[in-house]
Amino acid sequence: MTQETTMDDIIAFAKRKGFVFQGSEIYGGAAGLYDFGPNGVELLNNIKASWWQANVREKENYYGLDSAMFKDPRVWEASGHVGGFSDPLAECRECNTRIRVDKELEKIGVSADEKMNEADINALFVEHAQEIACPKCGGHNFTPARAFNLLVKSNLGDFTSKGDSPVYLPGEACQGIYLNYKNIVDSMHPKVPFGIGQIGKAFRNEISPRNFLFRTREFEQADTQFFVRPHENKEAFEKIKKDRWQWYLSLGITEKHLRWKQHENLVFYASDAWDIEYDFPTYGFDEVEGIHDRTDYDLTQHMKFSGTDLSYNDNGEKFIPWILETSMGLGRVFLAVLSECYSKDELGGEERIVLKLPYALAPTKVAVFPLLKNKPELQEKARSVYAELKKYIPAVAWDDNGNIGKRYRRQDEVGTLYCVTIDFDTLEDDTVTVRHRDTGEQERVMISKLGDVVGE
Ligand SMILES: [Zn+2]
């Protein structure tokens, strides 16, 4: 990130280079929905792979999971989402624009406590209604503020046909972990403490989605739940915090762009809660991940609502494990990585945009160029180098379009670490030119040694 980079730069760049597109754009665009393009899906998958590696595979006592998005509707009653997962909403009576009342109050310096009930928020809203203007028509004539549930309703045969509660898309991904806690205990026989990790989608009826990938209606979360003995939470919590911080550094994020924020108002069952915040261009510091000490609340709730015993039996000693949770928004981390690595510098007297992604995250690691497009002998040699590299390096690109300088700039912009050029000397001595993304330096390398230079 360079000093003057704005989020508008990042958004325009993300679209232009095939990272992120507005959802349903040809129909005019859908608010709060985004599609990941060819480079975006590679970067996103690489972030997920890095997370999975660090949080599931590298840990001895963590288990992976991929649970169904649709769940018995009672899950969302047990979790508190049906009753309490809402934002205060009012509608402009002139033009039907919906506003988030708490956010509008915040803008005029009035803070609405998260725990306030509908009536209290409405009282505050009525008191200040004349200071709040409709963002569309500028009017002050609003409906009363009411609690608007954020769960996205759907229908699914078995549940809907019973005629009771509707079925929901997941409001958060982690519930699937609680539902499978017992299955994992019974099938894998883990010893407490142990963890379960999952990446999954979540949906929220955000009244006013905003800030690009930051607050969207459909998003992906990467969660871990670590199960510990009651009251044996403190030390493990500190260890988890440390590990999660390190993971961000491993992505190439500089420490000055990260900070901790401890929650002041804890939900009643929580014992401690921290956010990791990233310093986004334009938006400033905001949450990318929450780390929560949740005591035995989740398993106790699901025991109550399901009637299934979820206690852990350790040689006759029974207890309900306490849970330490890490919950990361993948879209937010994607945006943090893109912001962090997007930079402008000068190389050989020319300004360029370069995406300084670490090797593991780059959508393309190496690009192979024949010097000239219309020379069959160069094409053939370059094709053989390309095919050889593809055998052991993930994501090798082919580019024979335009002059070499243009190709370098194109690859720099999407973060390709090495460009390999096959020229007439290659035909004589089997060497190629390897050009390094960050420095622009070039070196001559034997084809047989190429893997050592451009591998990870
Ligand atoms: Zn209006």
Side-chain angles (χ1 to χ4, degrees):
M1 189 191 322
T2 23
Q3 275 295 319
E4 70 277 13
T5 303
T6 65
M7 194 48 85
D8 284 344
D9 296 336
I10 302 289
I11 294 169
F13 170 80
K15 181 178 180 188
R16 185 167 60 81
K17 299 311 292 183
F19 283 91
V20 184
F21 307 126
Q22 175 76 60
S24 309
E25 194 173 348
I26 62 169
Y27 284 89
L33 296 172
Y34 291 93
D35 299 335
F36 291 88
N39 283 315
V41 66
E42 294 293 337
L43 174 55
L44 185 68
N45 283 341
N46 291 340
I47 294 171
K48 285 189 213 174
S50 161
W51 184 90
W52 192 263
Q53 184 66 24
N55 290 279
V56 179
R57 286 190 175 163
E58 278 175 19
K59 302 246 165 110
E60 230 178 273
N61 52 349
Y62 275 69
Y63 299 83
L65 179 72
D66 187 357
S67 65
M69 279 203 271
F70 283 116
K71 294 167 175 72
D72 189 303
R74 287 173 294 179
V75 169
W76 304 106
E77 287 168 30
S79 69
H81 285 79
V82 171
F85 188 51
S86 59
D87 283 336
L89 166 100
E91 202 171 303
C92 171
R93 287 200 162 105
E94 308 299 330
C95 73
N96 301 102
T97 296
R98 288 167 158 194
I99 59 163
R100 267 279 295 270
V101 171
D102 54 333
K103 294 289 166 193
E104 293 301 324
L105 284 167
E106 220 174 87
K107 282 185 199 161
I108 57 165
V110 179
S111 89
D113 193 320
E114 270 178 42
K115 290 177 207 159
M116 263 187 174
N117 64 30
E118 198 175 72
D120 288 345
I121 288 215
N122 189 49
L124 209 55
F125 180 50
V126 169
E127 189 188 328
H128 294 278
Q130 284 312 307
E131 299 159 57
I132 296 173
C134 167
K136 195 167 173 199
C137 72
H140 302 280
N141 186 9
F142 294 103
T143 63
R146 65 183 174 88
F148 177 76
N149 195 285
L150 300 183
L151 282 176
V152 178
K153 281 180 195 165
S154 184
N155 61 346
L156 187 70
D158 280 359
F159 296 123
T160 310
S161 63
K162 285 181 194 160
D164 41 28
S165 45
V167 71
Y168 300 101
L169 289 173
E172 60 183 15
C174 66
Q175 290 297 327
I177 297 181
Y178 310 137
L179 302 189
N180 286 285
Y181 157 79
K182 187 176 166 16
N183 284 332
I184 289 175
V185 168
D186 292 344
S187 60
M188 310 301 288
H189 312 293
K191 283 273 169 221
V192 167
F194 72 93
I196 302 174
Q198 177 178 242
I199 295 175
K201 283 219 168 182
F203 301 82
R204 290 179 189 176
N205 252 324
E206 292 286 351
I207 297 160
S208 50
R210 63 196 172 278
N211 290 1
F212 193 39
L213 297 177
F214 202 83
R215 192 165 297 281
T216 53
R217 288 179 165 142
E218 172 178 345
F219 55 97
E220 218 164 6
Q221 294 180 305
D223 300 320
T224 64
Q225 311 281 331
F226 193 62
F227 300 84
V228 299
R229 286 175 162 273
H231 306 287
E232 292 186 3
N233 50 329
K234 292 287 179 232
E235 202 179 311
F237 192 67
E238 288 313 310
K239 168 85 167 66
I240 287 170
K241 278 177 65 189
K242 221 167 121 188
D243 285 355
R244 293 304 304 139
W245 185 267
Q246 281 305 319
W247 183 76
Y248 287 93
L249 304 185
S250 81
L251 298 186
I253 288 176
T254 46
E255 213 152 12
K256 68 172 181 191
H257 292 145
L258 288 174
R259 75 177 184 197
W260 285 110
K261 185 182 165 197
Q262 187 171 25
H263 288 212
E264 284 166 18
N265 300 314
L266 290 173
V267 280
F268 67 91
Y269 52 80
S271 138
D272 202 2
W274 294 76
D275 290 341
I276 295 179
E277 296 189 330
Y278 178 76
D279 191 7
F280 291 93
T282 309
Y283 306 157
F285 276 104
D286 216 329
E287 179 192 352
V288 289
E289 172 160 347
I291 299 172
H292 311 125
D293 187 339
R294 299 176 61 86
T295 68
D296 64 1
Y297 178 76
D298 305 287
L299 290 181
T300 305
Q301 282 295 101
H302 284 300
M303 250 171 90
K304 214 185 284 172
F305 278 75
S306 69
T308 306
D309 183 7
L310 297 178
S311 54
Y312 183 89
N313 189 336
D314 188 4
N315 293 318
E317 183 204 352
K318 284 178 84 176
F319 56 86
I320 308 290
W322 285 20
I323 289 179
L324 309 175
E325 170 184 71
T326 71
S327 183
M328 174 181 102
L330 267 158
R332 294 180 180 191
V333 172
F334 178 99
L335 190 54
V337 167
L338 210 56
S339 303
E340 183 76 25
C341 297
Y342 175 91
S343 41
K344 282 179 181 166
D345 63 12
E346 224 186 77
L347 200 66
E350 266 190 85
E351 199 181 72
R352 65 163 184 170
I353 290 171
V354 53
L355 201 59
K356 294 192 169 172
L357 290 166
Y359 196 96
L361 298 189
T364 304
K365 320 298 180 195
V366 186
V368 176
F369 312 156
L371 179 67
L372 299 169
K373 194 176 184 171
N374 54 2
K375 295 284 175 199
E377 62 274 37
L378 290 181
Q379 283 277 337
E380 194 189 332
K381 187 71 182 170
R383 281 284 173 197
S384 78
V385 172
Y386 174 66
E388 192 58 32
L389 284 177
K390 277 184 95 121
K391 284 182 194 161
Y392 54 95
I393 292 175
V396 182
W398 172 266
D399 191 353
D400 59 7
N401 195 8
N403 68 44
I404 292 285
K406 274 202 183 121
R407 294 185 224 172
Y408 284 157
R409 278 195 294 281
R410 206 153 49 219
Q411 297 299 332
D412 286 345
E413 281 190 308
V414 297
T416 306
L417 287 102
Y418 305 100
C419 294
V420 173
T421 303
I422 285 76
D423 56 23
F424 291 104
D425 287 344
T426 312
L427 304 177
E428 303 296 320
D429 63 5
D430 244 20
T431 62
V432 293
T433 300
V434 175
R435 185 258 195 188
H436 296 247
R437 177 194 70 194
D438 293 346
T439 58
E441 273 170 28
Q442 300 182 12
E443 58 176 319
R444 210 63 198 174
V445 176
M446 290 290 297
I447 289 174
S448 58
K449 300 276 181 211
L450 200 50
D452 300 340
V453 178
V454 303
E456 190 159 14

